[in-house]
Amino acid sequence: MAVKILSDSACDLPKEILDEYNIDILPILVIKDDKEYLDGETLDPMKLYEDMRNGEVYRTAQIPPSVFEKKFEEIAKSGESTIYICFSSGLSGTYQSAVIAKEAIKEKYPDLDLEIVDSKSASVGFGLLVYKAAQMAKAGKSKEDILKTLDFYVDHIEHIFTVDDLEYLFRGGRVSRAQAIVGGLLNIKPILDIPEDGTLRPIEKVRGRNKVLKRMIKIMEERGGEANLKNQTIGINHGDDIEGAMKLKKMIEEKYGCTDFVINIIGCAIGAHSGPGTLSVFFLNEKPSQD
């Protein structure tokens, strides 16, 4: 029996990939005015970004333990060997909730065959882990082989992204009010990444959109190496800015010769914090030896 891949909506993978590889997705909660929505199910990203541009404020909440327990009980009853790859523990309590739920279900179903992997990643950076695991599962690879590859991806996945408006990072507590105001006045665009602990980290400030994209491309080379990047699957996503995403894709194609891309809009769970206009690129800083 093939290994089943389970994840959550913060992986931001396109629907066609989820459908092709039969990837189950648990939606993260998105909240506005005390009303709860399910990311990608009862709230879509276009609506979220439209509201945010109009001054609406969204926040998010982790998947409730009861949802995990229900899903894990289904897995136990089916007998399927399952890997749940979850949103970074450095950005959400989802991983901890999943681990607690697993232990609760194992008391009732000791034979539960479930492994939980902390992606230490977000959005399509997280999605590339899920995508790779699903490809391996479809190819009939063992759970052990998939987990080994996931360990490598967790250690070597790079996230490089920029936001269009510092106001959204201020709302999320990532920058101060003064930084947001000055950044807006001076057209400063921060570049951020996700380090090994799976948290969020500002790494540079660049003035102007075109300059920030050029700098993101250069950081790819510094961290990924030109030769290593060419044959990778490169992830790109955007906060309702497909034009910017396609411009970034073209720059990467011309600079590094990459041909395989996963491109998608940023979902509600991430977009509620990063805001419209965000652009991100994801890649590995080292080639897996087993590929």
Side-chain angles (χ1 to χ4, degrees):
M1 183 182 294
V3 176
K4 179 69 177 177
I5 303 300
L6 172 67
S7 191
D8 54 66
S9 62
C11 72
D12 286 345
L13 282 175
K15 186 177 185 301
E16 55 267 27
I17 289 179
L18 300 177
D19 291 344
E20 179 181 355
Y21 291 94
N22 194 28
I23 302 168
D24 274 357
I25 295 293
L26 299 174
I28 289 174
L29 295 178
V30 185
I31 304 165
K32 185 185 76 167
D33 299 329
D34 295 325
K35 183 176 180 179
E36 292 185 349
Y37 300 89
L38 300 177
D39 179 15
E41 294 186 10
T42 58
L43 179 67
D44 68 77
M46 297 299 289
K47 171 62 174 170
L48 174 109
Y49 293 125
E50 179 185 357
D51 285 351
M52 292 181 77
R53 288 187 176 105
N54 291 327
E56 300 281 2
V57 177
Y58 284 87
R59 55 191 176 91
T60 57
Q62 65 194 51
I63 298 167
S66 59
V67 172
F68 280 124
E69 290 183 10
K70 181 181 179 181
K71 187 64 181 179
F72 294 169
E73 186 168 13
E74 289 175 7
I75 292 168
K77 288 179 177 178
S78 72
E80 280 188 301
S81 181
T82 302
I83 300 175
Y84 169 48
I85 309 166
C86 77
F87 189 21
S88 172
S89 63
L91 296 170
S92 169
T94 299
Y95 172 74
Q96 185 177 13
S97 290
V99 170
I100 292 170
K102 175 186 173 180
E103 294 308 311
I105 296 300
K106 277 187 74 71
E107 291 182 6
K108 186 176 179 181
Y109 300 93
D111 294 331
L112 173 67
D113 187 0
L114 171 68
E115 297 291 337
I116 301 176
V117 176
D118 179 0
S119 72
K120 301 287 183 72
S121 306
S123 200
V124 172
F126 167 19
L128 290 180
L129 275 71
V130 178
Y131 186 29
K132 182 64 176 179
Q135 288 175 316
M136 293 182 70
K138 189 172 183 178
K141 300 295 184 181
S142 69
K143 182 174 70 174
E144 290 72 24
D145 284 344
I146 296 171
L147 290 171
K148 181 179 178 181
T149 297
L150 284 173
D151 283 344
F152 180 91
Y153 269 62
V154 169
D155 289 341
H156 295 282
I157 194 73
E158 294 280 355
H159 307 61
I160 306 297
F161 65 101
T162 185
V163 299
D164 194 47
D165 190 338
L166 285 166
E167 174 65 22
Y168 302 113
L169 288 182
F170 163 70
R171 292 176 187 174
R174 302 299 179 182
V175 300
S176 68
R177 166 53 77 189
Q179 287 173 314
I181 293 172
V182 172
L185 291 173
L186 299 179
N187 196 25
I188 291 173
K189 308 298 182 185
I191 298 177
L192 306 95
D193 72 354
I194 293 181
E196 292 179 357
D197 62 0
T199 57
L200 190 65
R201 176 178 66 180
I203 55 173
E204 294 185 19
K205 297 176 183 176
V206 181
R207 197 167 181 177
R209 184 74 156 184
N210 288 331
K211 288 182 180 180
V212 82
L213 294 183
K214 290 178 181 178
R215 181 58 187 143
M216 288 170 69
I217 298 295
K218 184 63 177 176
I219 293 172
M220 287 184 70
E221 181 178 354
E222 293 169 358
R223 297 191 180 189
E226 188 168 348
N228 179 45
L229 290 167
K230 183 177 181 179
N231 297 315
Q232 285 193 36
T233 299
I234 305 295
I236 295 175
N237 66 357
H238 61 93
D240 191 22
D241 183 11
I242 186 62
E243 183 178 332
M246 297 312 292
K247 182 177 181 179
L248 187 58
K249 174 179 180 283
K250 184 178 180 181
M251 292 170 70
I252 294 169
E253 287 174 327
E254 292 176 348
K255 177 68 174 176
Y256 304 119
C258 304
T259 59
D260 188 16
F261 292 85
V262 172
I263 301 175
N264 198 25
I265 192 168
I266 299 170
C268 301
I270 305 296
H273 301 282
S274 59
T278 299
L279 284 175
S280 313
V281 63
F282 311 93
F283 56 95
L284 291 172
N285 59 31
E286 186 176 320
K287 180 178 173 60
S289 59
Q290 60 265 45
D291 280 2

